[in-house]
Amino acid sequence: GDSVTQMEGPVTLSEEAFLTINCTYTATGYPSLFWYVQYPGEGLQLLLKATKADDKGSNKGFEATYRKETTSFHLEKGSVQVSDSAVYFCALSFTGTASKLTFGTGTRLQVTL
Amino acid sequence: GAGVSQSPRYKVAKRGQDVALRCDPISGHVSLFWYQQALGQGPEFLTYFQNEAQLDKSGLPSDRFFAERPEGSVSTLKIQRTQQEDSAVYLCASSLGRGWASTDTQYFGPGTRLTVL
């Protein structure tokens, strides 16, 4: 079945460091890909998405590019802030399945001063 | 405007008890989803409604789990004869859901944390 694999956390970075969180997927066909973020004490929020190969999703300084050849959707940010500390989830869905999401296990990011 | 709300936020049940978890979606959202999130894991799909119709219940782990959305708005997830393995956070999400092929953004509620003793 469809699945999403994320790098294990926690990831601990100093403020202004470069962030990469790896995400790869296994799926039959070409899904839409998402990054969701969960800040402490809050619900899941959509961070960015890409719906076809080579699309780049971006939001709040975060970017991810849909790479069909490597089945990857790695999340990057050039300079993290303490306020980016959260759990990040990579997910996929297919059109025609009412967009039910298949999530990875999540990666906790801790940014320190 | 108001987001997705869920109640209760926390629920402690003794093994064997029945529980009911409520979800109030964003007004006007056609699609409603339930997910189960075990500790340290990502959410896993349970079931999906389009208005009052339950179109996909493939993720419900057993026949002890039952969901309804009788008027196409508020939804209730019921778990009968709870077991310890049911302990998890139960998330509800809603989207505009303009049809089966929709890829509208899902908006998540804060979840209900269920602990079965």
Side-chain angles (χ1 to χ4, degrees), chain A residues 13 19 37-38 57-58 66 81 94-96 109:
Chain A
L13 295 173
L19 168 71
V37 59
Q38 188 169 37
S58 61
Y66 189 162
Q81 305 300 310
F94 284 95
T95 302
L109 170 65

Side-chain angles (χ1 to χ4, degrees), chain B residues 52-75:
Chain B
E52 68 279 3
Q54 189 175 17
L55 299 185
D56 187 342
K57 51 183 181 178
S58 61
L60 295 176
S62 78
D63 58 8
R64 296 186 295 103
F65 287 71
F66 171 76
E68 60 183 4
R69 194 185 183 197
E71 297 179 357
S73 179
V74 171
S75 177

Side-chain angles (χ1 to χ4, degrees), chain B residues 93-116:
Chain B
S94 71
S95 72
L96 281 169
R98 293 164 291 192
W100 181 249
S102 165
T103 57
D104 291 330
T105 297
Q106 292 184 32
Y107 295 87
F108 282 80
T112 295
R113 182 179 297 278
L114 173 65
T115 302
V116 181

Side-chain angles (χ1 to χ4, degrees), chain A residues 32 34 36 38 41-46 49 51 89 93-106, chain B residues 9 31 33 35 37 40-45 48 56 58 91 99-110:
Chain A
S32 295
F34 306 81
Y36 277 80
Q38 188 169 37
E42 298 184 17
L44 279 166
Q45 303 173 25
L46 178 65
K49 69 179 182 181
T51 58
F89 292 91
S93 73
F94 284 95
T95 302
T97 60
S99 302
K100 62 182 178 183
L101 292 159
T102 298
F103 287 90
T105 54
Chain B
R9 291 292 310 276
S31 294
F33 303 80
Y35 294 85
Q37 186 176 15
Q41 302 296 314
E44 293 192 355
F45 170 79
Y48 160 70
D56 187 342
S58 61
L91 299 171
W100 181 249
S102 165
T103 57
D104 291 330
T105 297
Q106 292 184 32
Y107 295 87
F108 282 80

